[in-house]
Amino acid sequence: VNSVTMCYGDIVLNNYDDYFTPGAGSPIDAYLLPYRPLRIYEGFGDQLVPVFVGLTSGTPVIDERAKTASFHIIDFLFSVADAPLDTIALSTSVRTDQAISSVLVAAGLLSGQLSLDRGYNTLNYFAVSKGTKVIDVLRRLMEAEQGRLYMDEQGVIQFKNRQNYLSSPVMTFDAYN
């Protein structure tokens, strides 16, 4: 099954000391802005497991009564999905992975944020019209390739071609770890 998977979520933090309240004089006051980097880890014994890497989508929503700060968080694919692209010039004989890379780099991501399998499809001609949304191009590429595009828990955007499906777990936890 082909897909483009994007993640988002909401986190609620204790704000009894107004640490996350904009304008309250907190040491992080100047950094309470939209699109701030965020990493979430879960602890299992003495092991930290990365769960999410992404961005805050806006400033925190403060609940004075409950003394909490809520953040809506998004991954990097979600952050560029609706972005309109500038024209990507016509290229010939482009593999799926090369097309994905050109789209994501044009959307503002770095090539170091990408880990792309070699695509099996070769597009005779590849171009993107100005104003086309990133997500529209990526979905068409995934449908044609029958591949998967997602961001892993380390913050790296992964493209898996149609023959690269893991059948074993990445991590296993039991009662002792």
Side-chain angles (χ1 to χ4, degrees), residues 102-164:
S102 66
V103 167
L104 292 175
V105 169
L109 299 178
L110 303 173
S111 59
Q113 291 177 277
L114 311 175
S115 177
L116 310 176
D117 279 356
R118 184 180 176 94
Y120 285 104
N121 289 354
T122 299
L123 308 168
N124 290 334
Y125 302 100
F126 179 72
V128 176
S129 302
K130 184 176 178 125
T132 304
K133 289 184 180 182
V134 170
I135 190 65
D136 294 335
V137 178
L138 294 176
R139 282 188 177 138
R140 282 188 232 132
L141 289 168
M142 289 307 97
E143 287 172 8
E145 180 72 35
Q146 295 177 339
R148 295 172 294 130
L149 188 68
Y150 61 94
M151 193 174 91
D152 70 14
E153 64 279 355
Q154 300 289 336
V156 177
I157 295 172
Q158 302 278 338
F159 162 63
K160 302 297 181 192
N161 64 39
R162 62 182 161 260
Q163 292 187 358
N164 189 349

Side-chain angles (χ1 to χ4, degrees), residues 1 8 14 17 60 71 77 89 113 120 130 133 141 143-144 170:
V1 174
Y8 64 92
N14 175 330
D17 57 1
F71 291 88
L77 275 175
Q113 291 177 277
Y120 285 104
K130 184 176 178 125
K133 289 184 180 182
L141 289 168
E143 287 172 8
V170 176

Side-chain angles (χ1 to χ4, degrees), residues 29-47:
D29 199 12
Y31 306 107
L32 295 170
L33 301 169
Y35 300 106
R36 301 310 293 186
L38 175 80
R39 291 182 183 269
I40 298 175
Y41 292 87
E42 259 186 86
F44 293 92
D46 61 354
Q47 185 177 10

Side-chain angles (χ1 to χ4, degrees), residues 17-111:
D17 57 1
D18 290 325
Y19 193 74
F20 299 106
T21 303
S26 163
I28 65 167
D29 199 12
Y31 306 107
L32 295 170
L33 301 169
Y35 300 106
R36 301 310 293 186
L38 175 80
R39 291 182 183 269
I40 298 175
Y41 292 87
E42 259 186 86
F44 293 92
D46 61 354
Q47 185 177 10
L48 285 178
V49 177
V51 176
F52 181 86
V53 174
L55 306 164
T56 61
S57 68
T59 57
V61 175
I62 305 301
D63 183 337
E64 284 297 333
R65 213 167 142 202
K67 293 309 277 182
T68 59
S70 300
F71 291 88
H72 184 68
I73 56 177
I74 56 178
D75 72 8
F76 294 109
L77 275 175
F78 200 92
S79 73
V80 299
D82 289 328
L85 291 164
D86 286 334
T87 302
I88 294 179
L90 176 67
S91 298
T92 58
S93 299
V94 176
R95 289 188 324 266
T96 301
D97 57 296
Q98 295 168 322
I100 292 167
S101 180
S102 66
V103 167
L104 292 175
V105 169
L109 299 178
L110 303 173
S111 59

